[in-house]
Amino acid sequence: MPPHPSAPAAPPTTPPVTGYRTLLRNREFAGLYAGFTLTVAATTLSGFALGTLVHEQTRSPFLTAVSMYGATFATALGALTLMSVADGGRPRRTLVALQCASLAGVAAQAVPGLSLAARFGILLLLGFFQSLGTGTRMGLLAEVVPTTQYALARSLMNVTSGATAVLGFATGAALLTRLTPHGVFLAAATLTGIATAVVAATVREHSVRSTRRPGPRRTWRTNAELFSHPGGRALLLNLWVPGGLIVGCEALFLSYAPHHAGVLLAAGSAGMLLGDLAVGRFLGPAQRRRHAFTLRLLLAVPYLLFALHPHVLVAAAAVFVSGPGFAATLPLQEQLLELTPDPVRGQVQGVESAGRMTWQGIGAAIAGGLAGQLTPATTITALAAASVAVTVVSRPFVLGARAVRGGEGTVRSREVRCQTHGQGSCS
């Protein structure tokens, strides 16, 4: 994973300014983007339908919440077991196959009379398939767009994901006034089917990035090599933990201000979308890296105001100011991509995404547990302080990872050794 220390660092360059329109003229990216957008919409609709169905049958807030967001925990299972499929086989064929598996799962949810146990089992399988699909999609993304446009592409996907999720929940609520939850599942299955067709029609097959057979053993080995490098660990730590803790703060808005939680959540979403748009579209790679640490601090510092139990308008302003800090993931993802050799970049990007989603759930769980012993305002302050501490303490390692970028790393060296001397040298 770490680059060779003797490799010279590439001189900084200023790439030509490009926009979202330039990206969308790339047929393959447009296909990946459209498939991603439709998949997010389908996932939102199916989650809303399942949550409604579970609520009607159980009246349990816990089971309802798990039914809507529980699939995110299955992403960790994908990262730990079979994420290496993101770099094995034919990536386009793999992504289409995973989309077909998701289509089958969403369609199965539309079957009336399924037990809740069966529905939750399908939910976990969907999370597993979506985790592997994310790794495969991000590996393909790094091939279909130039490196200088990678952050811009991720920015567009982030903005679209947030907006699509909001519209998806609104559409789901509207559809449920005319359809049953099973009908909404069918609508989600239709969107998933269209997404599958779009990807199959627009994305060409790319060469196999790795000659090693994908499977749990290879997944574990690559993950171990990734986490053995201090720079890689620092990048993943900053991609996962600070944001996950702030998501935990957001999870307490309903407890902090029951009648104004919607205002606080909307303020956070607006700030996050603004940050992804501004950082991804208007800042170049050098500027993003220069401001990465400030963005990570911005993510958490405004929440320290909750120690003063501010008025809801002041709290909403603080949350809005914090929102752009989530865009710190863009320069960190760029840096991680540079440190990742081609044969395993799909797996590494999949692990990053799965860990980020898992830590959002962990942050919410930590917040809920602490809030049972402390007040919501105190818990929010404590989580924000912990986020700041992680960012500050790990900064030297992040800077170190940046300083040695540009050469071949441990994972790359091992991959080359395996391809040169055969699989026996990697056993």
Side-chain angles (χ1 to χ4, degrees):
M1 184 69 193
H4 193 282
S6 63
T13 60
T14 302
V17 177
T18 58
Y20 293 142
R21 289 184 181 180
T22 303
L23 276 176
L24 292 172
R25 292 192 192 105
N26 180 330
R27 183 172 182 267
E28 285 191 280
F29 172 77
L32 280 176
Y33 171 71
F36 167 77
T37 303
L38 290 167
T39 299
V40 172
T43 301
T44 304
L45 282 180
S46 61
F48 194 81
L50 183 59
T52 301
L53 195 63
V54 171
H55 177 71
E56 290 176 351
Q57 293 185 16
T58 68
R59 301 294 174 182
S60 167
F62 174 75
L63 290 177
T64 300
V66 170
S67 67
M68 293 182 68
Y69 300 105
T72 59
F73 289 100
T75 61
L77 181 62
L80 293 172
T81 57
L82 288 177
M83 189 59 77
S84 56
V85 303
D87 299 299
R90 301 290 179 180
R92 171 187 173 276
R93 182 176 61 188
T94 300
L95 182 58
V96 171
L98 289 168
Q99 286 280 142
C100 288
S102 295
L103 172 59
V106 176
Q109 292 281 25
V111 176
L114 280 182
S115 66
L116 288 183
R119 293 193 184 280
F120 279 108
I122 294 171
L123 180 69
L124 292 176
L125 283 175
L126 284 172
F128 181 77
F129 293 139
Q130 289 165 2
S131 168
L132 303 182
T134 296
T136 306
R137 183 181 293 108
M138 292 307 152
L140 278 168
L141 178 64
E143 293 195 40
V144 303
V145 302
T147 302
T148 55
Q149 295 181 13
Y150 182 79
L152 184 68
R154 291 298 295 262
S155 165
L156 179 57
M157 287 184 160
N158 290 347
V159 171
T160 303
S161 177
T164 302
V166 172
L167 291 175
F169 283 126
T171 303
L175 288 175
L176 284 171
T177 63
R178 295 180 176 273
L179 302 174
T180 65
H182 304 95
V184 178
F185 280 129
L186 288 177
T190 301
L191 291 177
T192 305
I194 296 173
T196 304
V198 168
V199 171
T202 57
V203 180
R204 66 180 175 85
E205 189 60 272
H206 289 257
S207 61
V208 179
R209 289 188 292 271
S210 172
T211 60
R212 297 163 64 186
R213 183 185 299 275
R217 186 176 181 182
R218 180 184 161 199
T219 299
W220 299 334
R221 181 182 294 117
T222 301
N223 287 348
E225 292 167 354
L226 171 63
F227 285 101
S228 69
H229 179 232
R233 286 199 306 268
L235 290 172
L236 291 175
L237 180 74
N238 278 270
L239 280 160
W240 294 350
V241 181
L245 293 173
I246 298 306
V247 169
C249 294
E250 295 176 346
L252 295 178
F253 286 166
L254 191 59
S255 301
Y256 177 79
H259 301 295
H260 301 287
V263 174
L264 296 175
L265 288 169
S269 297
M272 182 175 64
L273 292 177
L274 178 63
D276 278 319
L277 178 63
V279 174
R281 174 65 182 86
F282 299 110
L283 298 184
Q287 292 173 307
R288 283 192 291 269
R289 297 222 176 153
R290 190 179 310 123
H291 297 297
F293 178 68
T294 302
L295 285 170
R296 296 200 298 278
L297 290 180
L298 181 66
L299 178 65
V301 168
Y303 279 91
L304 297 177
L305 286 174
F306 279 78
L308 304 176
H309 299 270
H311 184 273
V312 66
L313 293 179
V314 176
V319 173
F320 174 78
V321 171
S322 163
F326 280 105
T329 59
L330 295 175
L332 292 174
Q333 287 164 345
E334 282 183 303
Q335 198 171 343
L336 183 65
L337 184 66
E338 290 184 1
L339 288 173
T340 304
D342 291 351
V344 294
R345 62 183 170 194
Q347 177 174 341
V348 171
Q349 294 297 312
V351 167
E352 182 273 319
S353 177
R356 190 156 31 88
M357 294 180 69
T358 301
W359 257 97
Q360 291 175 6
I362 292 173
I366 293 173
L370 286 177
Q373 307 298 321
L374 308 171
T375 66
T378 302
T379 302
I380 289 173
T381 306
L383 292 178
S387 179
V388 171
V390 170
T391 296
V392 172
V393 171
S394 63
R395 188 189 187 195
F397 299 99
V398 174
L399 293 175
R402 179 190 308 176
V404 298
R405 66 181 170 87
E408 290 191 339
T410 299
V411 176
R412 181 185 293 275
S413 300
R414 186 180 184 88
E415 187 75 24
V416 171
R417 186 170 65 251
C418 293
Q419 294 177 5
T420 303
H421 302 292
Q423 296 298 319
S425 64
C426 298
S427 58

